Amino acid sequence: MSLTRRDFARKSAITGAGVALAGSVGALATAPNALAATDIDSDEAESARGGHHGVGYGPLIADPNGILALPAGFSYKVITYSGRTKLESGEFTPSNHDGTATFEGPRGAVLLVNNHELAGARAQWPHPVPLTEGLVYDPAAAGGCTVVEVRRGGEVAEWVGIAGTATNCAGGSTPWGTWLTCEETEDKAGKNGFTKDHGYVFEVDPEDHRANRDPKPIKAFGRYAHEAVVIDPKRGHAFLTEDASGPNGLLYRWTPPEDFRHGRGRLRTLADDAGVLQAFKCLDSGGRFVDDLSRATRTGTVYGVDWVDVPDRDAKQVSTRKQFEDGEITRARKLEGMWWGDGGAYIVSSYAREESPVQHDGQVWFYDPKRRTLTLKVLLGVNPDPAKDGAFDGPDNITVSPYGGLVIAEDGEGVQHLFGATETGSTYPIARNELNIGTEAEPEYSEFTGVTFSPDGRTLFANIQTPGIMLAITGPWKRQRR
């Protein structure tokens, strides 16, 4: 059913453009260096008085071990470290940690499924995902997932969940307790020595090893440069982001067949053409077509959303995003992380440059499936000096915090952070990557990925992608002021 101009005008009048929906994160606009001029200054003053009572947790304290700067009272533990820690089978932990989710494990343990974003030929990677018998999709590919078990006493075990996939990026968890790992590539069999086509989503069960045998792609979700996926637990829709350019990527919605019921292992039973895959099309409050999400230059902007069928979801000849003419769908650069919360999907557009109508250093949108609206919650202006600590840029992986608001992993230029955004717009730093993988003269810091809380909300897990480190952060978490 199409969303007409009259429908959207009526819904806009009801919801009110620019008004945060109940229970959702409020609008946030961060101008470059605005954080350094407000939150951090007040943090230092409060710390001097012996405590921190404002938004966030205070200034970050340098790490003598050169890995992670945190606020006072917080600490971290290295859970896995590529090339240092080992799997149960004896191989080293694979590199390039990316999307991650947590699940309740046996006897109080926490299970995590960790993507490894390894692209191209397998031979170029010192620590690929091991080709564990029965768990391999394509033996020529280096990527995949590992399952990490953090036991109550602190012991850690790690094993392969899926192997032989490529460029496993953000992914997403399901309401029934499994992980969907996404291949951010369009490489076909024959390229990089691959024996099968890539660009699919696969389901990984963190608890049942047998369920992961003989990996089967969920072709119904389409073949393209997948970034992230969330499942609407009420309606059963899957929402999927595409991280691509030339032209910019799309947001997709998959609608299941009428008689389909979600559950463990059910997705792999789907026919390749099951359900309907569609791409989004946005209309502004006046019913005018919006060609690119970068057009929104003010937080609180609300677009109506329609959905357009994808002609060839398996992209046999033409990439899915190239199957549409101008005016048929809406595009966005660097559609990245997603997270389901507050009755809808939070969606990240990491940045926009010359390829887009308007430049920015990050957006976070909220899609309300009931109202079929997309609201701009976070807008980061272009950062003029990424090497200077203070401003944030390049949001990527994202999670909804049990303490209110969002926690966002930064994949920008220069300094890299985990940062929070409250429900009414304040931002605050949570961590800073201090592992220099460049030189003293030209320092370089890898992006953060896989930000996610433990099921009990006491531990924040996050990864430093290069070389591949999973970290567990604990401390005096508190409910953030609105």
Side-chain angles (χ1 to χ4, degrees):
M1 181 179 69
S2 296
L3 183 68
T4 66
R5 180 180 301 193
R6 179 177 298 175
D7 291 335
F8 180 57
R10 177 176 56 82
K11 292 185 178 185
S12 296
I14 293 172
T15 60
V19 178
L21 302 174
S24 65
V25 174
L28 162 67
T30 301
N33 301 318
L35 178 66
T38 55
D39 296 348
I40 289 179
D41 290 344
S42 62
D43 289 344
E44 291 175 347
E46 289 185 354
S47 294
R49 293 193 295 267
H52 180 77
H53 306 289
V55 171
Y57 301 97
L60 303 179
I61 300 172
D63 179 9
N65 294 317
I67 295 178
L68 196 67
L70 293 168
F74 283 79
S75 62
Y76 70 88
K77 178 181 178 181
V78 173
I79 303 300
T80 66
Y81 198 129
S82 181
R84 297 188 185 182
T85 57
K86 291 188 176 183
L87 309 183
E88 288 187 328
S89 51
E91 299 96 341
F92 282 115
T93 294
S95 63
N96 292 60
H97 297 28
D98 211 288
T100 308
T102 62
F103 306 87
E104 292 184 0
R107 296 175 294 278
V110 175
L111 294 173
L112 301 100
V113 184
N114 184 201
N115 278 356
H116 297 277
E117 191 180 16
L118 299 166
R122 183 177 181 85
Q124 68 178 316
W125 296 103
H127 302 299
V129 178
L131 298 176
T132 302
E133 183 180 359
L135 302 178
V136 180
Y137 171 66
D138 180 351
C145 299
T146 53
V147 181
V148 179
E149 183 179 39
V150 181
R151 295 163 186 159
R152 182 175 291 178
E155 303 88 354
V156 176
E158 184 177 17
W159 58 88
V160 172
I162 188 174
T165 51
T167 322
N168 298 70
C169 209
S173 60
T174 69
W176 52 91
T178 62
W179 172 250
L180 298 176
T181 184
C182 295
E183 293 188 304
E184 188 191 330
T185 182
E186 298 179 65
D187 289 350
K188 289 187 174 183
K191 188 171 184 179
N192 297 311
F194 289 163
T195 64
K196 295 182 178 181
D197 291 349
H198 291 265
Y200 295 115
V201 177
F202 296 79
E203 186 171 22
V204 177
D205 194 316
E207 297 181 21
D208 187 353
H209 296 248
R210 295 169 299 178
N212 299 326
R213 296 188 66 82
D214 302 319
K216 180 185 177 184
I218 307 168
K219 292 189 175 183
F221 286 179
R223 194 183 70 81
Y224 45 89
H226 286 273
E227 175 73 27
V229 56
V230 296
I231 303 292
D232 181 339
K234 183 176 181 179
R235 300 163 186 83
H237 292 131
F239 295 92
L240 310 104
T241 50
E242 178 183 31
D243 183 1
S245 60
N248 286 346
L250 309 178
L251 173 67
Y252 298 89
R253 183 185 72 176
W254 177 79
T255 302
E258 289 187 8
D259 59 348
F260 181 76
R261 296 294 178 268
H262 281 295
R264 264 186 155 83
R266 294 282 298 147
L267 290 172
R268 65 184 295 154
T269 69
L270 288 167
D272 293 351
D273 60 351
V276 180
L277 184 69
Q278 299 171 303
F280 78 146
K281 178 180 181 179
C282 292
L283 307 171
D284 69 14
S285 58
R288 295 175 292 268
F289 169 68
V290 179
D291 63 338
D292 195 284
L293 290 186
S294 69
R295 296 286 187 188
T297 58
R298 181 177 299 177
T299 53
T301 296
V302 180
Y303 293 146
V305 179
D306 206 352
W307 298 95
V308 183
D309 290 359
V310 175
D312 173 21
R313 74 180 80 184
D314 203 47
K316 293 178 178 63
Q317 300 296 328
V318 179
S319 298
T320 54
R321 70 184 186 282
K322 297 179 181 179
Q323 294 174 24
F324 298 94
E325 300 293 334
D326 291 344
E328 290 187 297
I329 43 80
T330 300
R331 301 185 183 276
R333 181 70 198 276
K334 295 292 289 180
L335 285 169
E336 297 269 7
M338 305 176 75
W339 199 270
W340 186 268
D342 303 320
Y346 290 95
I347 304 162
V348 171
S349 172
S350 194
Y351 64 78
R353 292 293 183 265
E354 290 79 5
E355 79 292 326
S356 303
V358 181
Q359 297 188 33
H360 62 74
D361 257 343
Q363 298 174 327
V364 180
W365 295 83
F366 180 79
Y367 177 69
D368 184 334
K370 183 177 180 180
R371 294 188 172 98
R372 292 171 65 185
T373 56
L374 193 67
T375 303
L376 182 59
K377 298 294 185 179
V378 177
L379 176 61
L380 304 179
V382 175
N383 188 351
D385 189 3
K388 182 180 179 181
D389 198 9
F392 303 132
D393 60 87
D396 196 324
N397 288 182
I398 188 172
T399 190
V400 174
S401 171
Y403 303 96
L406 302 172
V407 176
I408 301 169
E410 198 174 13
D411 178 18
E413 301 293 332
V415 182
Q416 305 291 334
H417 300 90
L418 298 175
F419 68 96
T422 70
E423 294 179 4
T424 53
S426 296
T427 61
Y428 57 92
I430 296 173
R432 181 178 63 244
N433 179 9
E434 297 199 326
L435 183 62
N436 182 6
I437 57 175
T439 65
E440 185 175 352
E442 297 183 359
E444 180 182 351
Y445 301 94
S446 174
E447 66 179 281
F448 279 107
T449 64
V451 59
T452 182
F453 278 91
S454 59
D456 65 7
R458 296 179 180 178
T459 304
L460 177 65
F461 292 93
N463 309 313
I464 295 174
Q465 186 175 72
T466 304
I469 305 173
M470 178 184 288
L471 302 160
I473 302 169
T474 55
W477 302 109
K478 65 177 182 178
R479 184 75 186 177
Q480 293 299 318
R481 296 180 180 178
R482 295 178 62 85

